[in-house]
Amino acid sequence: MKKCPYEEKIDLYLRRKLSETESAQFEEHYFNCPPCFQKTSERNELIEVIQRRGAFIFDPASSRRPEPRISLGEKVAAFLTPRRWVAASVTAALLLVVALAVVPRFKSHGPHFVFTGDETVRGESLAVLSPRGNVKAVPDSFEWKALNSAAEYQVTLSGLETLWTTTTQETKIALPEDLKNKLKAGSYTWQVKAYSAQGTLLAASPKVQFKILN
Amino acid sequence: MRESPVKIDLEQLIIQYKPVVSFKVKKALGGGNPEWEDIVNEILMQAIEKIKSGEFRGESSVGTFIYTITSRRIVDYIRQKTRVLKEIPEVQALPDPHDQVERDERAEQLAQAIRKLKPKFRDVLYLYYYKELSREEVAREMGISPARVSERVNYAQKLLKKMLGK
């Protein structure tokens, strides 16, 4: 439906923004144009209510005005002005420094395990290389694979009883000459245990049997 | 009495023009004026008499004819009132309480409906009709074009009509 050109003047007329002549022309028009009269009458009612009850209608305290929908990101962006960004960054950095300085002092120690015998820390393993199985002569040395976290190894040679125990930071150790001379043909076992720098047992190899044949 | 040269359904005329004349009279005299209804009736009676007597010959539209009678009657009333007021202080009669209750009820419904509008519509009504800013000022305030201000006002009005079930 084509819009009546006088519709543009409804607000101007009701807000008394038209001259006397224009106002009279507009009035004569709505006496002849039922749609324009209808719209003018409705708009007039709206304006009157707003002007009389505006304090109530637009009172933010009593209004049920819905809060604008703002996402969390927008809320944070609105809250963090450049000055607040700087303050937040400085605070975060200070907290981090304090945390790094203070927290280790209160750090609780992990449970201390005391290992006995062949118990090893789960996941660690210590493999011996030689001697093992049958050997033709008294071995010159004992050798095993390195354990990354180990600071020291303890080697034990046993026959019917413990014959020799020693420690080393290497992964190979020579058998002392005097002991070498004492060893005769027969079966022996040896074992190596790995210790941390604090003296904690990290791993123990299986007791490996070797047999000197002559 | 001359016979009217134009055939007009007088009953229809009253139905159609009573609200228009009432609107104009109330606008000119103020809705609180207790005499407005009498003046409206006088205007309509005068129009009917002139049509019946043939004084209205259809040279203008019926709307313009009734508008002319209305305007003259309002001017007469204001002149007469000014003269009377110089002699006797006016005693304001109270408006009809029944009408007043009905008007208040409708105004309350409309006010509640405005409060339920989305902010973009409510804000435009607030700035344009309550703060009485010009259309251009409202446009600047809201960061929209003046044409958009009119569109929002018109759309808000449609929404309100819908909300009130008109």
Side-chain angles (χ1 to χ4, degrees), chain A residues 93-110:
Chain A
L94 284 173
L95 284 174
L96 187 64
V97 168
V98 169
L100 290 173
V102 173
V103 169
R105 295 184 187 190
F106 297 103
K107 192 176 174 185
S108 61
H109 291 285

Side-chain angles (χ1 to χ4, degrees), chain A residues 111-126 147 149 193-196 199-205:
Chain A
H112 181 71
F113 297 103
V114 179
F115 292 90
T116 56
D118 296 338
E119 287 173 331
T120 62
V121 175
R122 183 177 293 180
E124 299 282 3
S125 65
L126 193 55
L147 189 73
S149 47
K193 291 177 182 177
Y195 291 87
S196 71
T200 309
L201 177 63
L202 299 174
S205 74

Side-chain angles (χ1 to χ4, degrees), chain A residues 45-57:
Chain A
E45 189 186 12
L46 175 67
I47 295 173
E48 277 185 359
V49 166
I50 287 174
Q51 286 178 348
R52 285 180 192 167
R53 298 174 180 236
F56 160 75
I57 295 169

Side-chain angles (χ1 to χ4, degrees), chain A residues 3 7-8 11-17 23-25 27-28 30-32 34 37-59 62-66, chain B residues 16-17 19-21 23-24 27 61-64 66-67 70-71 104 106-108 110-112 114-119 122-123 125-130 132-135 153-154 157 160-161 166:
Chain A
K3 194 178 165 185
E7 274 187 38
E8 300 285 338
D11 277 321
L12 297 172
Y13 167 72
L14 292 172
R15 299 176 69 192
R16 301 181 192 280
K17 303 285 181 193
S23 213
Q25 281 171 350
E27 286 172 342
E28 187 182 338
Y30 74 63
F31 267 76
N32 287 287
F37 170 69
Q38 177 74 19
K39 285 176 184 163
T40 305
S41 167
E42 286 169 359
R43 185 62 55 90
N44 182 62
E45 189 186 12
L46 175 67
I47 295 173
E48 277 185 359
V49 166
I50 287 174
Q51 286 178 348
R52 285 180 192 167
R53 298 174 180 236
F56 160 75
I57 295 169
F58 302 112
D59 174 18
S62 62
S63 172
R64 274 172 274 168
R65 181 179 291 202
Chain B
Q16 187 180 336
Y17 284 99
V20 187
V21 173
F23 182 79
K24 166 66 184 151
K27 207 90 197 111
S61 66
V62 179
T64 300
I66 296 176
Y67 170 68
T70 307
S71 297
D104 285 352
R106 240 176 45 175
E108 175 61 22
L110 186 53
Q112 292 291 358
I114 296 168
R115 289 174 57 159
K116 288 177 189 163
L117 286 175
K118 284 184 181 174
R122 204 173 45 225
D123 291 349
L125 296 180
Y126 170 74
L127 295 172
Y128 198 37
Y129 294 129
Y130 190 65
E132 295 189 298
L133 300 186
S134 71
R135 200 170 70 135
V153 170
N154 292 337
Q157 180 115 51
L160 291 169
K161 271 178 86 171
K166 281 189 188 172

Side-chain angles (χ1 to χ4, degrees), chain A residues 100-175:
Chain A
L100 290 173
V102 173
V103 169
R105 295 184 187 190
F106 297 103
K107 192 176 174 185
S108 61
H109 291 285
H112 181 71
F113 297 103
V114 179
F115 292 90
T116 56
D118 296 338
E119 287 173 331
T120 62
V121 175
R122 183 177 293 180
E124 299 282 3
S125 65
L126 193 55
V128 298
L129 294 174
S130 69
R132 56 196 307 156
N134 295 331
V135 291
K136 289 178 183 173
V138 176
D140 294 323
S141 61
F142 294 83
E143 196 176 349
W144 57 93
K145 275 190 179 175
L147 189 73
N148 283 338
S149 47
E152 196 176 51
Y153 301 95
Q154 184 190 66
V155 182
T156 306
L157 175 65
S158 307
L160 292 173
E161 55 189 17
T162 300
L163 300 172
W164 175 61
T165 298
T166 189
T167 57
T168 178
Q169 292 178 348
E170 307 299 321
T171 56
K172 184 178 181 178
I173 190 163
L175 193 65

Side-chain angles (χ1 to χ4, degrees), chain B:
Chain B
M1 186 186 269
R2 284 177 294 175
E3 183 129 346
S4 171
V6 281
K7 294 281 175 199
I8 293 170
D9 182 339
L10 297 175
E11 204 176 321
Q12 183 58 38
L13 180 136
I14 292 172
I15 293 169
Q16 187 180 336
Y17 284 99
K18 191 168 183 181
V20 187
V21 173
S22 301
F23 182 79
K24 166 66 184 151
V25 170
K26 280 197 276 185
K27 207 90 197 111
L29 307 183
N33 189 315
E35 290 173 273
W36 73 265
E37 210 161 2
D38 291 341
I39 294 170
V40 169
N41 289 334
E42 273 178 40
I43 291 165
L44 291 171
M45 287 310 294
Q46 202 180 336
I48 288 167
E49 275 169 22
K50 285 188 175 188
I51 289 167
K52 278 184 175 171
S53 67
E55 205 175 314
F56 174 65
R57 298 193 195 90
E59 285 156 348
S60 67
S61 66
V62 179
T64 300
F65 167 65
I66 296 176
Y67 170 68
T68 308
I69 297 171
T70 307
S71 297
R72 282 181 189 157
R73 182 66 190 90
I74 289 169
V75 171
D76 285 350
Y77 175 84
I78 292 169
R79 270 189 201 144
Q80 183 196 347
K81 212 64 188 164
T82 314
R83 206 166 47 236
V84 169
L85 278 175
K86 279 178 186 166
E87 294 158 14
I88 318 158
E90 189 184 22
V91 178
Q92 273 284 0
L94 290 169
D96 181 337
H98 184 262
D99 281 0
Q100 190 60 40
V101 167
E102 206 172 287
R103 271 200 301 274
D104 285 352
E105 208 171 287
R106 240 176 45 175
E108 175 61 22
Q109 285 174 350
L110 186 53
Q112 292 291 358
I114 296 168
R115 289 174 57 159
K116 288 177 189 163
L117 286 175
K118 284 184 181 174
K120 69 174 181 178
F121 295 119
R122 204 173 45 225
D123 291 349
V124 86
L125 296 180
Y126 170 74
L127 295 172
Y128 198 37
Y129 294 129
Y130 190 65
K131 298 302 264 184
E132 295 189 298
L133 300 186
S134 71
R135 200 170 70 135
E136 286 67 28
E137 286 169 329
V138 176
R140 267 200 303 278
E141 192 82 16
M142 297 193 69
I144 55 177
S145 67
R148 180 70 84 186
V149 171
S150 300
E151 279 172 28
R152 282 199 188 169
V153 170
N154 292 337
Y155 195 72
Q157 180 115 51
K158 274 185 194 170
L159 289 171
L160 291 169
K161 271 178 86 171
K162 208 174 167 185
M163 287 159 87
L164 297 177
K166 281 189 188 172

